[in-house]
Amino acid sequence: MQVTKYRNFEGYNHRDLFRLCHIHPNLGLPSNHNYWKYYTEYDAIFKFVVEDNMKLRKRKETLTESKIKRSKLDDEKAKTEQQTIEMEKEIEGMAELTLTRRNEATLIEKMKTKRNEATLIEEMKSKEAPNVETSKVLQFLKNFQQLQALTVNDGEKAAELINKHDFVYEHIPKILLNSKDIWKSLLVRMPLKMVMENLGKMTIVDLLGSKEHHCMYNQIIVDKLMDEKILKEMHIQPIDILLTYATYSIGIGYDERREIKWNPSKDIVNALEKAFYSSIQYIVPTNKRYCLFFNISGI
């Protein structure tokens, strides 16, 4: 779940972690270790992490491409550089050939060792390891990749996958978040804080509102806001509820720097107001004194 939910954070991803820890099968593990029993699931996760993040990486310009670009600007300089490159390649080739001849026996021995390790790994792997039909992990990864490939017109299919695997908001591509069916499936399992952040969006897609067909989903929101246990356990701050109340009640917000409008539900607005007062009692005092300074020199 976490591998697919948080694929990138502040420029870092799971592939970077794998690179740092040099992850690989440990031949010292006993034959009854979980890795050998469920190697298909482990390998699928490792493969997903590497391939998924390779797609997200920006394509970097190679040294050769850079030199080709420079050659277009200065033909003479390019010819000189090309000759230099050829000479360097020739020298490197000679050095590699010499090194190979000197260490031929060592290289052959290493190749044999790698082959033996690969053979041993295959022998250690359990023949009863789960496959796509029997493994929830493999099915989850397969359907997650299907979810990422869906288009705007595949709302029903996406909702079906969400209900089947309990996909959450972070799993959903932005292109699908304009579908009412998607929000129906997400709302049931969505945490209160995420609900508060997306009240406007759910109202815009006609899931929430003041009409009769909105009542059922309005009530889900109201029940979440009125549940004092949720307010306490989720550590919902009164200021967060107040800001949500102020934004949602006026029916105007911003989505990716553009203004969006909606008709707020009165039931939800009233529930937000009540939740604000209810949440105050769950504030944990710090028992510290604070001194606030205000610069009013520019007034």
Side-chain angles (χ1 to χ4, degrees):
M1 174 68 80
Q2 303 303 321
V3 168
T4 53
K5 185 177 179 181
Y6 303 109
R7 292 186 286 166
N8 197 302
F9 183 73
E10 295 186 355
Y12 295 96
N13 51 52
H14 296 93
R15 187 172 183 269
D16 296 322
L17 179 62
F18 284 1
R19 188 187 295 113
L20 289 173
C21 66
H22 304 286
I23 192 167
H24 64 278
N26 184 356
L27 297 178
L29 296 175
S31 58
N32 60 348
H33 192 274
N34 278 340
Y35 173 75
W36 306 117
K37 290 182 179 180
Y38 304 101
Y39 77 91
T40 51
E41 296 181 346
Y42 283 101
D43 290 353
I45 293 172
F46 299 153
K47 184 179 179 181
F48 169 80
V49 167
V50 174
E51 291 184 350
D52 182 63
N53 287 292
M54 283 293 287
K55 294 176 184 177
L56 298 176
R57 291 176 63 196
K58 293 182 179 179
R59 182 175 176 271
K60 295 183 178 180
E61 183 182 66
T62 62
L63 180 62
T64 305
E65 289 173 335
S66 178
K67 289 181 178 178
I68 290 174
K69 288 182 180 180
R70 288 199 299 269
S71 68
K72 292 180 180 179
L73 300 175
D74 191 348
D75 293 338
E76 293 182 0
K77 186 177 179 181
K79 290 179 181 179
T80 304
E81 289 179 351
Q82 186 64 30
Q83 291 175 357
T84 304
I85 291 171
E86 290 177 358
M87 290 178 64
E88 289 177 353
K89 286 183 177 180
E90 186 176 352
I91 293 171
E92 289 177 0
M94 293 175 64
E96 288 179 1
L97 181 61
T98 304
L99 181 63
T100 302
R101 288 175 178 175
R102 289 179 180 177
N103 300 289
E104 186 174 357
T106 306
L107 291 172
I108 292 174
E109 188 64 29
K110 286 183 178 180
M111 290 175 64
K112 288 181 179 179
T113 303
K114 287 184 178 180
R115 288 175 184 171
N116 292 336
E117 288 181 356
T119 303
L120 183 59
I121 289 173
E122 291 301 321
E123 291 176 354
M124 295 282 284
K125 290 179 178 179
S126 173
K127 296 180 180 179
E128 299 178 358
N131 53 37
V132 178
E133 296 179 356
T134 60
S135 170
K136 292 183 179 180
V137 173
L138 298 179
Q139 291 175 8
F140 183 92
L141 290 175
K142 179 182 177 181
N143 287 321
F144 173 76
Q145 291 172 330
Q146 289 181 2
L147 179 66
Q148 302 306 304
L150 296 179
T151 62
V152 182
N153 300 322
D154 299 321
E156 292 184 4
K157 176 64 176 176
E160 181 182 339
L161 292 174
I162 292 170
N163 293 328
K164 181 178 179 181
H165 293 288
D166 290 337
F167 289 128
V168 294
Y169 175 84
E170 289 81 1
H171 287 126
I172 313 303
K174 288 185 178 180
I175 195 173
L176 297 176
L177 291 176
N178 291 322
S179 169
K180 183 178 179 180
D181 293 329
I182 298 292
W183 287 104
K184 281 182 182 179
S185 301
L186 291 176
L187 179 58
V188 179
R189 58 185 65 86
M190 191 181 294
L192 180 56
K193 196 165 186 179
M194 186 66 69
V195 169
M196 290 165 52
E197 292 175 359
N198 291 282
L199 286 176
K201 183 68 175 180
M202 287 187 281
T203 307
I204 290 173
V205 299
D206 199 34
L207 183 64
L208 307 176
S210 302
K211 297 180 181 179
E212 187 176 348
H213 66 274
H214 296 140
C215 291
M216 183 175 71
Y217 299 101
N218 287 345
Q219 191 59 45
I220 293 175
I221 305 292
V222 171
D223 291 342
K224 286 178 179 286
L225 289 168
M226 293 293 95
D227 192 332
E228 295 188 2
K229 183 179 179 182
I230 293 178
L231 293 175
K232 183 178 180 180
E233 292 180 351
M234 296 293 294
H235 303 288
I236 305 296
Q237 298 297 321
I239 188 65
D240 292 332
I241 300 177
L242 182 62
L243 290 173
T244 303
Y245 169 82
T247 303
Y248 183 72
S249 60
I250 61 174
I252 300 175
Y254 292 90
D255 181 19
E256 296 181 354
R257 298 183 179 181
R258 64 185 180 88
E259 187 178 84
I260 54 177
K261 296 182 179 181
W262 60 83
N263 294 319
S265 164
K266 293 182 180 179
D267 293 337
I268 294 176
V269 171
N270 293 334
L272 283 168
E273 184 178 2
K274 293 177 181 177
F276 168 71
Y277 291 108
S278 298
S279 63
I280 293 176
Q281 62 183 311
Y282 300 120
I283 297 177
V284 179
T286 61
N287 295 319
K288 295 180 180 179
R289 300 179 66 183
Y290 294 90
C291 181
L292 303 179
F293 292 87
F294 296 92
N295 184 357
I296 58 173
S297 59
I299 297 178

